[in-house]
Amino acid sequence: MARVVVDVMPKAEILDPQGQAIVGALGRLGFSGIVDVRQGKRFELEVDDSVDDADLERIAEELLANTVIENFAVTRVPDAQGARS
Amino acid sequence: MARVVVDVMPKAEILDPQGQAIVGALGRLGFSGIVDVRQGKRFELEVDDSVDDADLERIAEELLANTVIENFAVTRVPDAQGARS
């Protein structure tokens, strides 16, 4: 069993209105110094050892990301890591 | 200028219907061996050097995550890294 993280972010040339809304909200809340925010998605997968890197790449490309407007990165992580703790 | 990543994931005890839908879709698409998927959010921030770790923690806790149902992790990353390239 392995844990895999797939990060999906809007491409640099794609407008990100959610991120811009956050920048605006931070200013109104009194946080200064935040120049840019972009919002994407993070997927944490638990996979069998039968799932290889090529499978993971296909899963990310075909199902998790829209590669027209998004980039993705697939990372295998040690079990302890991640925001889930 | 620094780049900061904030990962926000649903807590382990919180149901994640989006993640479960992905598990179901993967099965129908012929990918086997995916035991669990959880979907969260990833924020990439560009911040001034005036923004310290305490500020980032407050931003994540007060604006980016709903700490009733989500955990978050704040990470400063070297400029080259990230799914944005």
Side-chain angles (χ1 to χ4, degrees):
Chain A
M1 199 74 77
R3 176 171 302 175
V4 177
V5 170
V6 179
D7 290 315
V8 176
M9 294 301 293
K11 290 188 178 180
E13 64 271 25
I14 301 288
L15 285 177
D16 177 10
Q18 287 179 300
Q20 288 310 302
I22 293 167
V23 173
L26 285 168
R28 289 192 298 279
L29 289 169
F31 292 104
S32 60
I34 314 297
V35 180
D36 189 34
V37 176
R38 291 181 77 79
Q39 178 172 353
K41 285 170 278 186
R42 175 187 171 95
F43 299 92
E44 291 185 4
L45 287 70
E46 297 274 353
V47 304
D48 276 353
D49 295 334
S50 67
V51 179
D52 62 18
D53 289 351
D55 291 331
L56 292 171
E57 200 78 10
R58 281 189 56 212
I59 288 169
E61 192 168 344
E62 295 177 16
L63 188 71
L64 302 180
N66 175 354
T67 53
V68 177
I69 58 168
E70 293 170 328
N71 292 317
F72 65 88
V74 178
T75 321
R76 285 180 184 266
V77 291
D79 242 12
Q81 214 178 309
R84 223 201 270 197
S85 57
Chain B
M1 200 73 80
R3 178 172 300 176
V4 177
V5 170
V6 179
D7 290 315
V8 176
M9 295 300 295
K11 290 187 180 183
E13 65 270 26
I14 300 289
L15 285 176
D16 177 11
Q18 287 180 299
Q20 288 311 302
I22 294 168
V23 173
L26 286 168
R28 289 192 298 278
L29 289 169
F31 292 103
S32 59
I34 314 297
V35 180
D36 189 33
V37 177
R38 292 181 76 80
Q39 178 172 353
K41 285 169 278 185
R42 175 187 170 95
F43 299 92
E44 291 185 4
L45 286 70
E46 296 275 352
V47 304
D48 277 352
D49 296 333
S50 67
V51 179
D52 62 18
D53 288 352
D55 291 332
L56 292 171
E57 200 79 9
R58 281 189 56 210
I59 288 169
E61 193 168 345
E62 295 177 18
L63 189 71
L64 302 180
N66 175 354
T67 52
V68 177
I69 58 168
E70 294 169 329
N71 292 317
F72 64 89
V74 178
T75 321
R76 286 181 183 265
V77 293
D79 243 11
Q81 215 177 306
R84 224 202 269 195
S85 58

